[in-house]
């Protein structure tokens, strides 16, 4: 994941990107709606954090669904790798986190999920992103921060 933060990409706008997938737009929109429902069911509170004991399996499920969605787009391979890394981290999340670790990890998870919502809106819905790769570094950085938090017990 660390290499993605430093990676440079050729600029590809959302409208150019989506022009390649107009034949499949109905399926894409249906998948996105499913992801919206799943994410908003978990993050409907305005709290800064989420209860990992209660929501961890749901978050892992969202990651798996997002990975499956991203597999449809070769240009989004790096984002797929980032979400796969997050999934691995979450599946191996220790049960003995301190309260502070859990609070910090849940903040980064929430940040990643909201970044993914923003990405989805800018790229697939509004098609206004000037570069579809704009969110990779932010999400990768959040994953690295989660790894760092977990390594400092």
């Amino acid at each position: 994941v660390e290499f993605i933060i430093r990676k440079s990409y050729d600029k590809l706008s959302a409208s150019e990107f989506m022009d390649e997938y107009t034949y499949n737009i109905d399926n894409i929109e249906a998948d996105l709606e499913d992801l919206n429902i799943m994410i908003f069911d978990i993050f409907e509170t305005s709290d800064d954090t989420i209860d990992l004991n209660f929501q961890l399996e749901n978050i892992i499920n969202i990651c798996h669904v997002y990975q499956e969605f991203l597999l449809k787009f070769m240009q989004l391979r790096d984002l797929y790798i980032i979400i796969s890394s997050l999934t691995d981290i979450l599946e191996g999340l220790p049960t003995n986190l301190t309260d502070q670790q859990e609070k910090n990890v849940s903040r980064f998870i929430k940040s990643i999920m909201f970044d993914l919502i923003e990405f989805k809106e800018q790229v697939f819905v509004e098609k206004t992103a000037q570069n579809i790769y704009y969110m990779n570094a932010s999400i990768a950085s959040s994953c690295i921060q989660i790894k760092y938090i977990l390594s400092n017990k």
Side-chain angles (χ1 to χ4, degrees), residues 2 10 18 20 64 88 90 98 105 108 136 140:
E2 288 84 356
D10 291 334
M18 289 305 295
E20 296 180 34
H64 283 295
D88 292 344
L90 295 177
T98 66
V105 167
F108 280 108
N136 287 7

Side-chain angles (χ1 to χ4, degrees), residues 9-14 76 79 114-124 126 128-140:
Y9 298 91
D10 291 334
K11 189 175 178 181
L12 178 62
S13 73
L76 301 177
L79 187 55
F114 283 117
D115 281 350
L116 289 172
I117 291 169
E118 178 69 19
F119 171 81
K120 173 198 66 79
E121 289 296 316
Q122 295 294 314
V123 173
F124 293 100
E126 297 170 7
T128 56
Q130 297 300 307
N131 187 349
I132 64 167
Y133 307 110
Y134 78 101
M135 199 60 82
N136 287 7
S138 174
I139 297 171

Side-chain angles (χ1 to χ4, degrees), residues 8 14 21-22 32 36 38 45 74 76 78 86 88 93 95 99 104 130 133 143 148 152:
S8 64
Y21 297 98
T22 53
L32 292 172
N36 266 355
M38 293 172 72
T45 67
M74 186 178 82
L76 301 177
D78 286 346
L86 175 63
D88 292 344
L93 197 68
T95 56
D99 289 343
N104 290 339
Q130 297 300 307
Y133 307 110
C143 286
Y148 176 77
N152 289 315

Side-chain angles (χ1 to χ4, degrees), residues 37-48:
I37 292 168
M38 293 172 72
I39 291 172
F40 283 113
D41 281 350
I42 292 174
F43 301 106
E44 61 190 345
T45 67
S46 60
D47 292 343
D48 224 13

Side-chain angles (χ1 to χ4, degrees), residues 79-102:
L79 187 55
Y80 170 85
I81 291 169
I82 296 166
I83 301 304
S84 295
S85 175
L86 175 63
T87 304
D88 292 344
I89 293 167
L90 295 177
E91 288 175 339
L93 197 68
T95 56
N96 60 341
L97 296 177
T98 66
D99 289 343
Q100 189 61 46
Q101 283 178 310
E102 184 171 339

